[in-house]
Amino acid sequence: MTAKKFWSWLAVFVAAFYFIVPLLATLEFSMRMRRGTYSFDAYRSVFADDRFASTFSYSVVMALITIVVGALLIVPTAYWVRLRMPYLRPVVEFVTLLPLVVPAIVIIFGYLRLYNSSSWLPLTNTDMGANALLVFGFMTMSLPYMYRAVDTAMRTIDVAVLTEAAESLGASWPTILFRCIFPNVLTGVLSGAFITFAIAVGEFTMPSLLNRPAFGPYLALIGANKAYEPPALAMIAFAMTWVSIILINITTRLQKGAAGAR
Amino acid sequence: MAATQPLLNRRLITDWLGIAPFAIFAVMFLIAPTVYLVSGAFVDPNGNLTLQNLIDLFQPNILAAYVISIKISAASAIGGAIIGFALAAAISLGGLPSWVRSAVLTFCGVASNFAGVPLAFAFLATLGRLGLLTIVLRDVFGFNLYGAGFNLLSFLGLTLTYMYFQIPLMVLIITPALDGLKREWSEAASVLGATSWQYWRMVVIPILWPSVFGTLLLLFANAFGAVATAVALTGSSLNIVPIVLFAQIRGDVLHNPNLGYAVAFGMVVITGISNFIYIWLRMRAERWQK
C-alpha cells in the first residue's frame, strides 16, 4: 500500500513539474521587458495595442454568432431526429463525428475552393460572406461537441411525452421548440456553447486562411514580431481557458444535478 | 387506401423538411468541401482521372513531411498515453487525497484546451534559446542545452510541446475507464490467490486495452491535425504535413493544385483511419462501463 502511494505521488509530482514549469517560465519571461527588474510592462503594452481589443472582440462576436446559429440548428435537429426519425440517428451521429476525422485545415481548404471569387457562390468576395464562412467553419468544428452535449441533455427528457402534452394544450411548433424543448436542454446547450467559445476564440487556421482580423492570427503576428508580448498573451489566454473550463464544470454539475433530481 | 396514401406522404415530407436545414448545412459546409478535395486528388489539371497525384506524394520532400509528422504524432501520442495513464492510475487507484484528484482533473481540462498559438509561446519562453529552463540549466547546472544539440524547432521539441495537451487528454478520457474497474474484480482476484501482477495482466489489461489503444489513436490524430502550434512555433522552418498544406493553400508552393488536394487527402486518410478505429474501440470499451 505504501509502495503504491509512493509511486502515485511520484507520478503526480513528475506531471506537476512538467505542467507547471512552462507556466512559470512564461510568466517570468513576460515580466522581463524592463531591463534588470521584473515589471508588467509587457501586459501594459499588450492592452495598449488597439488591435488586441479589435481582434479579440471580433473573435468573441464570431464565437457568439456561432453559438447562437449552432444552437438554432442543432437543437431542432436533435429533437426532430429523436421524435420523428429515430432511424436516422446513426447517420446524423456519424455526420456530427466527421469533423473529428477531417482536420480543420482540410475543411477550410475545401471552402476556399468551393466558395472562392470565381465559384457559383462567391462568399469570399465580401467581408460579410467571409465572416459567414468563418461562422460555418466554427460550427463545423464544434459540431461533435455541440451535438453530443445537446443529445445527452435530451436523453434525460421524454421528448415524445413533452411534445404530446404541449400539443394537446394547443401549443404551436415554435412554442413547443422554444418554450418546452430549449429550456429543458439549456444545460446541454450551455456546455456545448463554452466548448464552442473556447475553440472559436483562439482558432488560428480558419481565420488566417480566410484573411479575417481575428484573435488567433493576431497572436501569431505578435509572436513573429515581438519578444515579451507573446508570453504575456499566452498567460492571458491561459487565464481565459481556465475561466471557460470552470464555467463548463459548473454547467455540467448543474446538468448532473438536474438529471439526478428527476 | 387511396385516401391515406397522400396523408402518409405529407408526414414523410414534414419529417424530411425538419431535417433539411441540418442536411443542407452538412452537405454544403462539411461533405461537399471534403468530397471536392478528395475527388480533386484523383484528377490532373485537365480533369482526367489519374493516380499521378497520389504517386507524387512519394516525392522526397512530401514523403519526408509525412514521415516526420507521423513520427512526431506517434511519439507524442505514445509518450502522452504512457504518462497520462500513469497519472490517471495514480489519481484513480493510488489512494491519494481527493483534492489531488479534482485538482489534476480540473487542470487537465484546462491544459487539454490550451493548445494552438499560446502553447507555442509558452514553450518558447521555457525551452527557447532565452527560455527560463534553458537559462537555469546553463547558469545553475552548467549544462548548455542548445550546445548539446537540442532545438525546440525539431522532432524532440515539437513532441515535448504536443505532450502538453496530449497527457491531459489521455487523463481525461482514461480516468473514467479506470474508475469503472469494479472493486469486486480485484477482491475476487485476490480471493482466488492472484498476485497484483496477475490481476493486472489477466483482468485489468484485457478490459482496458480497447480504451487505451483507442485513446492512443485519438491522440495520434489530434497531433497530426494540429496546425496552429506547429506554425506558431516553427514558422515554416520545419517540414511537416500541416505546414506544407498551410503553405500550399496560401500560395500553391507545390505548383500543382491537384497535388495539394492529394496532400489534404493523405491527411484525411491518416486521421480518418485512426479516428474510425478509435470510435470502434470505444464502443467495444463501453460494454464494460455500464
Side-chain angles (χ1 to χ4, degrees):
Chain A
M1 201 62 195
T2 42
K4 197 159 111 181
K5 257 197 174 146
F6 168 77
W7 288 110
S8 303
W9 278 115
L10 187 72
V12 171
F13 276 121
V14 169
F17 179 80
Y18 172 75
F19 282 108
I20 290 171
V21 164
L23 293 177
L24 283 180
T26 311
L27 183 66
E28 195 265 352
F29 205 110
S30 73
M31 293 169 71
R32 273 192 221 165
M33 195 167 182
R34 197 177 298 172
R35 239 166 232 289
T37 174
Y38 285 133
S39 71
F40 287 103
D41 284 5
Y43 294 85
R44 220 165 286 147
S45 159
V46 163
F47 289 119
D49 188 349
D50 291 337
R51 285 173 304 170
F52 173 79
S54 67
T55 56
F56 185 66
S57 51
Y58 173 85
S59 282
V60 169
V61 170
M62 287 298 129
L64 292 178
I65 296 175
T66 305
I67 289 167
V68 172
V69 180
L72 285 177
L73 181 73
I74 300 297
V75 175
T77 304
Y79 165 71
W80 201 247
V81 169
R82 270 186 180 272
L83 184 70
R84 300 285 282 270
M85 313 174 90
Y87 50 91
L88 270 188
R89 267 193 67 161
V91 180
V92 173
E93 260 174 22
F94 174 78
V95 170
T96 59
L97 285 175
L98 271 183
L100 295 180
V101 176
V102 189
I105 188 170
V106 173
I107 292 175
I108 205 72
F109 191 11
Y111 288 5
L112 289 172
R113 286 291 170 272
L114 276 182
Y115 306 113
N116 62 27
S117 48
S118 54
S119 69
W120 62 283
L121 186 63
L123 282 174
T124 55
N125 266 358
T126 60
D127 275 357
M128 275 324 285
N131 289 344
L133 264 188
L134 187 61
V135 166
F136 289 134
F138 287 163
M139 274 169 69
T140 310
M141 281 176 77
S142 64
L143 198 58
Y145 312 101
M146 195 70 167
Y147 190 85
R148 283 212 143 193
V150 169
D151 200 52
T152 310
M154 222 167 257
R155 194 156 51 194
T156 60
I157 60 170
D158 193 331
V159 284
V161 168
L162 264 181
T163 309
E164 279 169 23
E167 270 181 330
S168 66
L169 291 170
S172 63
W173 279 109
T175 316
I176 295 176
L177 256 183
F178 290 102
R179 299 193 54 191
C180 297
I181 303 301
F182 255 97
N184 271 301
V185 297
L186 195 62
T187 50
V189 173
L190 276 180
S191 65
F194 289 125
I195 299 175
T196 308
F197 194 83
I199 293 175
V201 167
E203 169 62 17
F204 165 77
T205 315
M206 285 195 168
S208 166
L209 290 172
L210 283 169
N211 280 323
R212 295 289 81 205
F215 194 52
Y218 169 72
L219 287 179
L221 181 75
I222 294 295
N225 296 313
K226 299 262 175 83
Y228 301 104
E229 282 84 350
L233 281 165
M235 290 312 289
I236 295 169
F238 188 76
M240 290 192 306
T241 314
W242 195 273
V243 169
S244 46
I245 292 301
I246 288 173
L247 290 174
I248 291 174
N249 280 351
I250 292 173
T251 45
T252 38
R253 209 163 294 161
L254 285 178
Q255 198 170 345
K256 269 185 198 145
R262 220 162 281 276
Chain B
M1 224 29 205
T4 57
Q5 200 60 30
L7 203 71
L8 245 171
N9 278 342
R10 223 174 89 195
R11 187 183 157 93
L12 210 65
I13 288 167
T14 38
D15 276 3
W16 285 97
L17 271 182
I19 201 102
F22 177 79
I24 293 169
F25 170 80
V27 167
M28 277 185 73
F29 297 106
L30 179 55
I31 294 166
T34 312
V35 169
Y36 183 88
L37 291 189
V38 169
S39 57
F42 290 94
V43 296
D44 64 16
N46 302 321
N48 306 312
L49 272 179
T50 176
L51 290 175
Q52 192 55 42
N53 299 313
L54 298 190
I55 295 167
D56 285 348
L57 284 181
F58 289 90
Q59 60 184 266
N61 67 326
I62 299 181
L63 187 63
Y66 271 100
V67 169
I68 186 128
S69 276
I70 290 172
K71 271 166 72 181
I72 291 173
S73 307
S76 74
I78 293 170
I82 291 173
I83 300 173
F85 188 86
L87 190 56
I91 62 167
S92 172
L93 311 169
L96 298 178
S98 66
W99 65 266
V100 175
R101 181 193 157 94
S102 56
V104 168
L105 285 180
T106 309
F107 184 85
C108 285
V110 176
S112 65
N113 282 297
F114 184 64
V117 185
L119 179 65
F121 293 167
F123 269 81
L124 281 170
T126 312
L127 284 167
R129 281 181 191 277
L130 291 171
L132 183 65
L133 202 58
T134 314
I135 291 179
V136 167
L137 281 175
R138 189 191 63 200
D139 295 352
V140 181
F141 297 96
F143 177 70
N144 188 340
L145 199 57
Y146 278 77
F150 176 81
N151 188 344
L152 188 56
L153 316 182
S154 68
F155 165 73
L156 185 63
L158 222 56
T159 304
L160 265 175
T161 310
Y162 281 10
M163 270 161 66
Y164 205 85
F165 58 79
Q166 300 279 51
I167 295 172
L169 200 58
M170 179 73 181
V171 172
L172 289 179
I173 299 178
I174 216 71
T175 302
L178 284 167
D179 288 344
L181 292 174
K182 299 211 170 64
R183 181 185 285 265
E184 293 90 320
W185 298 343
S186 96
E187 283 167 359
S190 65
V191 165
L192 292 170
T195 62
S196 98
W197 162 240
Q198 281 175 320
Y199 167 63
W200 272 82
R201 189 169 60 88
M202 299 169 88
V203 179
V204 178
I205 292 173
I207 289 173
L208 284 186
W209 82 263
S211 309
V212 172
F213 190 62
T215 313
L216 190 70
L217 290 168
L218 179 77
L219 297 185
F220 177 83
N222 193 27
F224 199 82
V227 182
T229 312
V231 171
L233 202 55
T234 69
S236 46
S237 65
L238 191 62
N239 185 33
I240 62 175
V241 177
I243 290 180
V244 169
L245 188 56
F246 191 80
Q248 166 68 13
I249 301 173
R250 269 285 165 79
D252 196 17
V253 289
L254 302 172
H255 306 295
N256 177 359
N258 295 87
L259 184 54
Y261 301 155
V263 172
F265 173 67
M267 255 184 113
V268 174
V269 168
I270 290 175
T271 56
I273 291 174
S274 33
N275 267 304
F276 276 125
I277 304 177
Y278 162 68
I279 292 166
W280 178 71
L281 285 172
R282 202 186 157 90
M283 290 190 302
R284 249 189 90 105
E286 272 166 8
R287 287 194 314 207
W288 294 98
Q289 286 171 19
K290 278 172 189 153

PDB file of all heavy atoms in Angstrom, chain A residues 74-89:
ATOM      1  N   ILE A  74     -28.780  22.874 -34.207  1.00  0.00           N
ATOM      2  CA  ILE A  74     -28.577  21.558 -33.592  1.00  0.00           C
ATOM      3  C   ILE A  74     -29.782  21.131 -32.751  1.00  0.00           C
ATOM      4  O   ILE A  74     -30.225  19.976 -32.834  1.00  0.00           O
ATOM      5  CB  ILE A  74     -27.304  21.563 -32.710  1.00  0.00           C
ATOM      6  CG1 ILE A  74     -26.084  21.888 -33.537  1.00  0.00           C
ATOM      7  CG2 ILE A  74     -27.139  20.219 -32.007  1.00  0.00           C
ATOM      8  CD1 ILE A  74     -25.764  20.909 -34.605  1.00  0.00           C
ATOM      9  N   VAL A  75     -30.318  22.045 -31.940  1.00  0.00           N
ATOM     10  CA  VAL A  75     -31.397  21.632 -31.029  1.00  0.00           C
ATOM     11  C   VAL A  75     -32.616  21.123 -31.796  1.00  0.00           C
ATOM     12  O   VAL A  75     -33.094  20.013 -31.513  1.00  0.00           O
ATOM     13  CB  VAL A  75     -31.758  22.768 -30.047  1.00  0.00           C
ATOM     14  CG1 VAL A  75     -32.958  22.386 -29.201  1.00  0.00           C
ATOM     15  CG2 VAL A  75     -30.575  23.079 -29.154  1.00  0.00           C
ATOM     16  N   PRO A  76     -33.134  21.882 -32.777  1.00  0.00           N
ATOM     17  CA  PRO A  76     -34.288  21.346 -33.520  1.00  0.00           C
ATOM     18  C   PRO A  76     -33.956  20.035 -34.234  1.00  0.00           C
ATOM     19  O   PRO A  76     -34.791  19.132 -34.286  1.00  0.00           O
ATOM     20  CB  PRO A  76     -34.609  22.450 -34.533  1.00  0.00           C
ATOM     21  CG  PRO A  76     -34.051  23.681 -33.950  1.00  0.00           C
ATOM     22  CD  PRO A  76     -32.818  23.250 -33.215  1.00  0.00           C
ATOM     23  N   THR A  77     -32.718  19.928 -34.755  1.00  0.00           N
ATOM     24  CA  THR A  77     -32.364  18.701 -35.460  1.00  0.00           C
ATOM     25  C   THR A  77     -32.350  17.506 -34.509  1.00  0.00           C
ATOM     26  O   THR A  77     -32.952  16.461 -34.796  1.00  0.00           O
ATOM     27  CB  THR A  77     -30.982  18.853 -36.123  1.00  0.00           C
ATOM     28  OG1 THR A  77     -31.011  19.989 -36.975  1.00  0.00           O
ATOM     29  CG2 THR A  77     -30.629  17.627 -36.924  1.00  0.00           C
ATOM     30  N   ALA A  78     -31.666  17.676 -33.369  1.00  0.00           N
ATOM     31  CA  ALA A  78     -31.593  16.572 -32.403  1.00  0.00           C
ATOM     32  C   ALA A  78     -33.003  16.198 -31.924  1.00  0.00           C
ATOM     33  O   ALA A  78     -33.340  15.016 -31.780  1.00  0.00           O
ATOM     34  CB  ALA A  78     -30.721  16.975 -31.215  1.00  0.00           C
ATOM     35  N   TYR A  79     -33.830  17.217 -31.721  1.00  0.00           N
ATOM     36  CA  TYR A  79     -35.211  16.997 -31.283  1.00  0.00           C
ATOM     37  C   TYR A  79     -35.986  16.220 -32.339  1.00  0.00           C
ATOM     38  O   TYR A  79     -36.656  15.220 -32.053  1.00  0.00           O
ATOM     39  CB  TYR A  79     -35.856  18.352 -31.020  1.00  0.00           C
ATOM     40  CG  TYR A  79     -37.367  18.344 -30.901  1.00  0.00           C
ATOM     41  CD1 TYR A  79     -37.989  17.786 -29.792  1.00  0.00           C
ATOM     42  CD2 TYR A  79     -38.155  18.904 -31.903  1.00  0.00           C
ATOM     43  CE1 TYR A  79     -39.362  17.777 -29.687  1.00  0.00           C
ATOM     44  CE2 TYR A  79     -39.530  18.900 -31.801  1.00  0.00           C
ATOM     45  CZ  TYR A  79     -40.129  18.338 -30.692  1.00  0.00           C
ATOM     46  OH  TYR A  79     -41.495  18.326 -30.591  1.00  0.00           O
ATOM     47  N   TRP A  80     -35.870  16.688 -33.564  1.00  0.00           N
ATOM     48  CA  TRP A  80     -36.633  16.081 -34.665  1.00  0.00           C
ATOM     49  C   TRP A  80     -36.216  14.630 -34.885  1.00  0.00           C
ATOM     50  O   TRP A  80     -37.038  13.756 -35.115  1.00  0.00           O
ATOM     51  CB  TRP A  80     -36.413  16.915 -35.931  1.00  0.00           C
ATOM     52  CG  TRP A  80     -37.468  16.733 -36.969  1.00  0.00           C
ATOM     53  CD1 TRP A  80     -37.304  16.156 -38.189  1.00  0.00           C
ATOM     54  CD2 TRP A  80     -38.841  17.113 -36.889  1.00  0.00           C
ATOM     55  NE1 TRP A  80     -38.486  16.159 -38.866  1.00  0.00           N
ATOM     56  CE2 TRP A  80     -39.447  16.745 -38.095  1.00  0.00           C
ATOM     57  CE3 TRP A  80     -39.615  17.741 -35.907  1.00  0.00           C
ATOM     58  CZ2 TRP A  80     -40.802  16.969 -38.365  1.00  0.00           C
ATOM     59  CZ3 TRP A  80     -40.955  17.962 -36.166  1.00  0.00           C
ATOM     60  CH2 TRP A  80     -41.531  17.570 -37.382  1.00  0.00           C
ATOM     61  N   VAL A  81     -34.913  14.393 -34.808  1.00  0.00           N
ATOM     62  CA  VAL A  81     -34.413  13.033 -35.015  1.00  0.00           C
ATOM     63  C   VAL A  81     -34.935  12.120 -33.916  1.00  0.00           C
ATOM     64  O   VAL A  81     -35.372  10.997 -34.175  1.00  0.00           O
ATOM     65  CB  VAL A  81     -32.871  13.026 -35.062  1.00  0.00           C
ATOM     66  CG1 VAL A  81     -32.338  11.603 -35.001  1.00  0.00           C
ATOM     67  CG2 VAL A  81     -32.389  13.702 -36.330  1.00  0.00           C
ATOM     68  N   ARG A  82     -34.926  12.592 -32.682  1.00  0.00           N
ATOM     69  CA  ARG A  82     -35.425  11.765 -31.582  1.00  0.00           C
ATOM     70  C   ARG A  82     -36.924  11.510 -31.709  1.00  0.00           C
ATOM     71  O   ARG A  82     -37.410  10.422 -31.424  1.00  0.00           O
ATOM     72  CB  ARG A  82     -35.165  12.450 -30.236  1.00  0.00           C
ATOM     73  CG  ARG A  82     -33.832  12.058 -29.683  1.00  0.00           C
ATOM     74  CD  ARG A  82     -33.594  12.585 -28.306  1.00  0.00           C
ATOM     75  NE  ARG A  82     -32.278  12.145 -27.896  1.00  0.00           N
ATOM     76  CZ  ARG A  82     -32.050  10.985 -27.296  1.00  0.00           C
ATOM     77  NH1 ARG A  82     -33.041  10.183 -26.989  1.00  0.00           N
ATOM     78  NH2 ARG A  82     -30.830  10.633 -26.981  1.00  0.00           N
ATOM     79  N   LEU A  83     -37.660  12.550 -32.143  1.00  0.00           N
ATOM     80  CA  LEU A  83     -39.120  12.447 -32.150  1.00  0.00           C
ATOM     81  C   LEU A  83     -39.631  11.687 -33.362  1.00  0.00           C
ATOM     82  O   LEU A  83     -40.453  10.782 -33.240  1.00  0.00           O
ATOM     83  CB  LEU A  83     -39.722  13.859 -32.129  1.00  0.00           C
ATOM     84  CG  LEU A  83     -41.248  13.936 -32.031  1.00  0.00           C
ATOM     85  CD1 LEU A  83     -41.698  13.495 -30.649  1.00  0.00           C
ATOM     86  CD2 LEU A  83     -41.727  15.353 -32.312  1.00  0.00           C
ATOM     87  N   ARG A  84     -39.174  12.070 -34.538  1.00  0.00           N
ATOM     88  CA  ARG A  84     -39.802  11.580 -35.756  1.00  0.00           C
ATOM     89  C   ARG A  84     -38.955  10.629 -36.576  1.00  0.00           C
ATOM     90  O   ARG A  84     -39.479   9.838 -37.341  1.00  0.00           O
ATOM     91  CB  ARG A  84     -40.183  12.781 -36.656  1.00  0.00           C
ATOM     92  CG  ARG A  84     -41.155  13.751 -36.009  1.00  0.00           C
ATOM     93  CD  ARG A  84     -42.577  13.217 -35.962  1.00  0.00           C
ATOM     94  NE  ARG A  84     -43.250  13.332 -37.236  1.00  0.00           N
ATOM     95  CZ  ARG A  84     -43.968  14.385 -37.613  1.00  0.00           C
ATOM     96  NH1 ARG A  84     -44.064  15.423 -36.829  1.00  0.00           N
ATOM     97  NH2 ARG A  84     -44.553  14.386 -38.780  1.00  0.00           N
ATOM     98  N   MET A  85     -37.645  10.748 -36.484  1.00  0.00           N
ATOM     99  CA  MET A  85     -36.822   9.941 -37.382  1.00  0.00           C
ATOM    100  C   MET A  85     -35.720   9.198 -36.638  1.00  0.00           C
ATOM    101  O   MET A  85     -34.541   9.351 -36.963  1.00  0.00           O
ATOM    102  CB  MET A  85     -36.201  10.846 -38.455  1.00  0.00           C
ATOM    103  CG  MET A  85     -37.188  11.792 -39.090  1.00  0.00           C
ATOM    104  SD  MET A  85     -36.420  12.947 -40.205  1.00  0.00           S
ATOM    105  CE  MET A  85     -36.499  12.021 -41.723  1.00  0.00           C
ATOM    106  N   PRO A  86     -36.082   8.381 -35.662  1.00  0.00           N
ATOM    107  CA  PRO A  86     -35.032   7.683 -34.904  1.00  0.00           C
ATOM    108  C   PRO A  86     -34.154   6.797 -35.780  1.00  0.00           C
ATOM    109  O   PRO A  86     -32.996   6.563 -35.456  1.00  0.00           O
ATOM    110  CB  PRO A  86     -35.807   6.852 -33.878  1.00  0.00           C
ATOM    111  CG  PRO A  86     -37.236   6.940 -34.256  1.00  0.00           C
ATOM    112  CD  PRO A  86     -37.426   8.081 -35.186  1.00  0.00           C
ATOM    113  N   TYR A  87     -34.719   6.365 -36.930  1.00  0.00           N
ATOM    114  CA  TYR A  87     -33.922   5.516 -37.819  1.00  0.00           C
ATOM    115  C   TYR A  87     -32.762   6.282 -38.448  1.00  0.00           C
ATOM    116  O   TYR A  87     -31.847   5.688 -39.006  1.00  0.00           O
ATOM    117  CB  TYR A  87     -34.797   4.888 -38.912  1.00  0.00           C
ATOM    118  CG  TYR A  87     -35.682   5.896 -39.637  1.00  0.00           C
ATOM    119  CD1 TYR A  87     -35.249   6.531 -40.787  1.00  0.00           C
ATOM    120  CD2 TYR A  87     -36.963   6.201 -39.150  1.00  0.00           C
ATOM    121  CE1 TYR A  87     -36.054   7.462 -41.430  1.00  0.00           C
ATOM    122  CE2 TYR A  87     -37.766   7.124 -39.791  1.00  0.00           C
ATOM    123  CZ  TYR A  87     -37.310   7.751 -40.926  1.00  0.00           C
ATOM    124  OH  TYR A  87     -38.099   8.670 -41.550  1.00  0.00           O
ATOM    125  N   LEU A  88     -32.809   7.638 -38.374  1.00  0.00           N
ATOM    126  CA  LEU A  88     -31.719   8.426 -38.951  1.00  0.00           C
ATOM    127  C   LEU A  88     -30.595   8.707 -37.955  1.00  0.00           C
ATOM    128  O   LEU A  88     -29.577   9.275 -38.305  1.00  0.00           O
ATOM    129  CB  LEU A  88     -32.257   9.768 -39.461  1.00  0.00           C
ATOM    130  CG  LEU A  88     -32.744   9.820 -40.904  1.00  0.00           C
ATOM    131  CD1 LEU A  88     -33.046  11.256 -41.278  1.00  0.00           C
ATOM    132  CD2 LEU A  88     -31.711   9.245 -41.856  1.00  0.00           C
ATOM    133  N   ARG A  89     -30.824   8.309 -36.684  1.00  0.00           N
ATOM    134  CA  ARG A  89     -29.847   8.671 -35.655  1.00  0.00           C
ATOM    135  C   ARG A  89     -28.425   8.243 -35.972  1.00  0.00           C
ATOM    136  O   ARG A  89     -27.508   9.058 -35.833  1.00  0.00           O
ATOM    137  CB  ARG A  89     -30.261   8.098 -34.299  1.00  0.00           C
ATOM    138  CG  ARG A  89     -31.067   9.088 -33.512  1.00  0.00           C
ATOM    139  CD  ARG A  89     -31.195   8.637 -32.118  1.00  0.00           C
ATOM    140  NE  ARG A  89     -29.881   8.669 -31.456  1.00  0.00           N
ATOM    141  CZ  ARG A  89     -29.757   8.671 -30.164  1.00  0.00           C
ATOM    142  NH1 ARG A  89     -30.805   8.613 -29.406  1.00  0.00           N
ATOM    143  NH2 ARG A  89     -28.570   8.709 -29.622  1.00  0.00           N
TER     144      ARG A  89
END
